[in-house]
Amino acid sequence: ALGAAVKAFTDPGDAILIQNPVYYPFTNIIRDNDRRVIDNTLIYEKTAGQSGENGYRIDFEDFERKLEQEHIKLFILCNPHNPVGRVWTAEELQKLGEICLRHHVIVVSDEIHNDFVFRGEHTVFASIKKEFEDICVVCTSPSKTFNLASMMISNIFVPNKELRQKFQHQVDAAGISQLGVLGLVA
């Protein structure tokens, strides 16, 4: 799904933004498709929470600056974030979305860890604001929740018809036409 999105919404040489530390295939997919990786590194700090946990937060100023300076077309969001475990709040997601709207950036929201939320509440990026539906691709999967990664199954939600057609074209071009029988049974 990430590879299809990279091909559908960007061209070779384009810059794509991610938030490290993030699952390493995000970087590989971008580079393997001849795009440039731009990093909005998450900030690690001691939180003020009752438990005194350490945590990560988004540097929103750096995020917007990089969108502008690097002419970002695509942002791959990990929501909840893997591996840092942050469940982004609706307010944080709204702020990211507003910035992406201002700069005409498409958001691919990888939400496959949404069933592993033990504190806080998972918010689907596209559900926050109607305008966010028009700029996003939401990826989910039973693979993490039910330990089915080998089944290679996922759910890709693309509310915007134009984006959906571009995405579907890349899926078709890759020769992916149907689920495997084991994935269907699972």
Side-chain angles (χ1 to χ4, degrees), residues 91-107:
E91 293 78 19
E92 289 169 316
L93 294 170
Q94 171 136 5
K95 194 168 184 177
L96 285 173
E98 294 291 344
I99 294 169
C100 288
L101 278 174
R102 276 197 303 276
H103 296 282
H104 310 287
V105 173
I106 296 168
V107 178

Side-chain angles (χ1 to χ4, degrees), residues 24-40:
Y24 72 92
F26 285 27
T27 298
N28 293 351
I29 286 168
I30 295 167
R31 288 188 179 142
D32 289 347
N33 283 286
D34 301 317
R35 275 63 167 181
R36 294 183 300 119
V37 175
I38 304 299
D39 182 23
N40 168 238

Side-chain angles (χ1 to χ4, degrees), residues 113-163:
H113 291 91
N114 69 65
D115 289 328
F116 291 116
V117 174
F118 301 105
R119 282 186 303 234
E121 185 176 323
H122 172 256
T123 302
V124 176
F125 176 78
S127 73
I128 295 172
K129 191 172 181 179
K130 176 70 175 132
E131 291 86 350
F132 293 178
E133 289 182 15
D134 289 332
I135 64 165
C136 79
V137 172
V138 177
C139 307
T140 68
S141 174
S143 63
K144 300 301 178 191
T145 306
F146 299 103
N147 196 22
L148 300 171
S150 64
M151 300 293 109
M152 303 298 287
I153 53 177
S154 62
N155 310 294
I156 312 302
F157 302 95
V158 190
N160 178 296
K161 183 179 179 179
E162 182 182 334
L163 295 182

